[in-house]
Amino acid sequence: VQLQAYGGGLVQAGGSLRLSCAASGRTISNYAMAWFRQAPGKEREFVAAVGSNTKYADSVKGRFTLSRDSAENTVYLQMNRLKPEDTAVYYCAARRSFRTTPSLDYDYWGQGTLVTVSS
């Protein structure tokens, strides 16, 4: 499975962005899919996942929405009311299991897309 993440950019605080993660090589309909992010000097952290259920990190709950389009083999992360602390490289990931997890235990990773939120 190859994952291509895109949609990052520069946005002002309070604005919105939608990230996309397009999968190729295999259908991902039976895979758990997730987004993680990594800010400069910090560890990679969980953002959201979809599969057996849908989970969100507390820091993004109510602002971010993760969705899956099985026909397009793509997952999306709609990010609203962005804050400067959301600035990071965002990575999508796939797991050969439908069970979601907030850990880094995913089998495939995309290359990352940079989101910068200015204050």
Side-chain angles (χ1 to χ4, degrees):
V1 175
Q2 292 79 46
L3 302 175
Q4 179 74 36
Y6 55 96
L10 173 64
V11 64
Q12 287 189 330
S16 299
L17 279 176
R18 188 176 80 156
L19 304 183
S20 301
C21 176
S24 59
R26 188 181 291 265
T27 181
I28 58 169
S29 58
N30 293 325
Y31 284 44
M33 300 295 296
W35 287 93
F36 290 78
R37 66 186 182 187
Q38 189 165 17
K42 295 189 176 181
E43 294 185 350
R44 193 168 298 190
E45 65 174 8
F46 172 77
V47 176
V50 63
S52 54
N53 54 17
T54 305
K55 296 179 180 177
Y56 295 95
D58 289 343
S59 59
V60 307
K61 205 171 290 184
R63 299 188 297 122
F64 290 11
T65 303
L66 176 57
S67 60
R68 180 201 296 261
D69 185 332
S70 295
E72 296 293 328
N73 221 30
T74 300
V75 293
Y76 302 97
L77 184 68
Q78 177 66 43
M79 307 185 295
N80 298 328
R81 303 201 313 272
L82 282 160
K83 304 175 181 180
E85 50 264 44
D86 294 319
T87 294
V89 177
Y90 283 71
Y91 298 88
C92 64
R95 190 167 194 244
R96 289 193 304 264
S97 165
F98 204 57
R99 181 173 294 180
T100 59
T101 176
S103 74
L104 296 175
D105 188 20
Y106 284 76
D107 302 294
Y108 307 98
W109 291 83
Q111 84 291 357
T113 184
L114 176 63
V115 172
T116 304
V117 184
S118 63
S119 56

